[in-house]
């Protein structure tokens, strides 16, 4: 049974940093594209970043240059390093794989 569990969310000040982790289990992690999405209050869920099995990455324009997605296939974990955080980054962040599985999300709040 596939499972994705996010962690690392919390409260950060504007300009600060957070690192999210997503631990995968129940499928061959290394074979699949892993992505991060986010959903802010009152808004639709939006794609943030993706990383292919060989390491190629893509980013949504609002986070390009500030966020970095990475993966450790040996640990079945995908990360999202978030720097220069802005209040508009406040959202629930979700991990997803290209098999269609989703985690339950982790809350990120950026506020002074």
């Amino acid at each position: 049974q596939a499972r994705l569990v996010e962690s690392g969310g919390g409260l950060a000040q504007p300009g600060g940093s957070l690192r999210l982790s997503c631990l995968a289990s129940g499928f061959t992690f290394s074979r699949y594209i892993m992505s991060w999405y986010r959903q802010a209050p009152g808004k639709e869920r939006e794609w943030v970043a993706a990383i292919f099995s060989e390491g190629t990455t893509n980013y949504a324009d609002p986070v390009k240059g500030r966020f970095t997605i990475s993966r450790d296939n040996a640990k079945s974990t995908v990360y999202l390093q978030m720097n220069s955080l802005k209040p508009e980054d406040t959202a629930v962040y979700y991990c997803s794989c290209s098999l269609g599985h989703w985690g339950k999300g982790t809350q990120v709040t950026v506020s002074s």
Side-chain angles (χ1 to χ4, degrees):
Q1 182 178 355
R3 189 172 182 220
L4 299 172
V5 180
E6 302 94 338
S7 61
L11 176 64
Q13 292 190 339
S17 299
L18 284 174
R19 189 194 195 203
L20 306 183
S21 300
C22 173
L23 176 62
S25 60
F27 63 99
T28 306
F29 176 83
S30 61
R31 293 182 181 176
Y32 298 98
I33 302 168
M34 298 299 298
S35 301
W36 287 96
Y37 287 75
R38 67 185 181 185
Q39 187 167 17
K43 295 188 176 180
E44 294 187 353
R45 190 173 297 188
E46 65 174 355
W47 171 73
V48 173
I51 184 166
F52 288 71
S53 57
E54 83 286 1
T56 301
T57 58
N58 286 312
Y59 298 93
D61 285 344
V63 307
K64 205 171 290 185
R66 299 188 298 122
F67 290 10
T68 302
I69 188 171
S70 61
R71 66 192 297 161
D72 185 334
N73 288 337
K75 295 182 178 180
S76 296
T77 301
V78 61
Y79 304 97
L80 187 67
Q81 178 67 44
M82 305 186 295
N83 298 330
S84 302
L85 283 163
K86 304 176 181 180
E88 51 263 44
D89 295 320
T90 295
V92 178
Y93 283 72
Y94 299 90
C95 171
S96 174
C97 77
S98 51
L99 278 171
H101 302 297
W102 291 83
K104 294 184 178 181
T106 185
Q107 175 70 48
V108 171
T109 302
V110 184
S111 175
S112 54

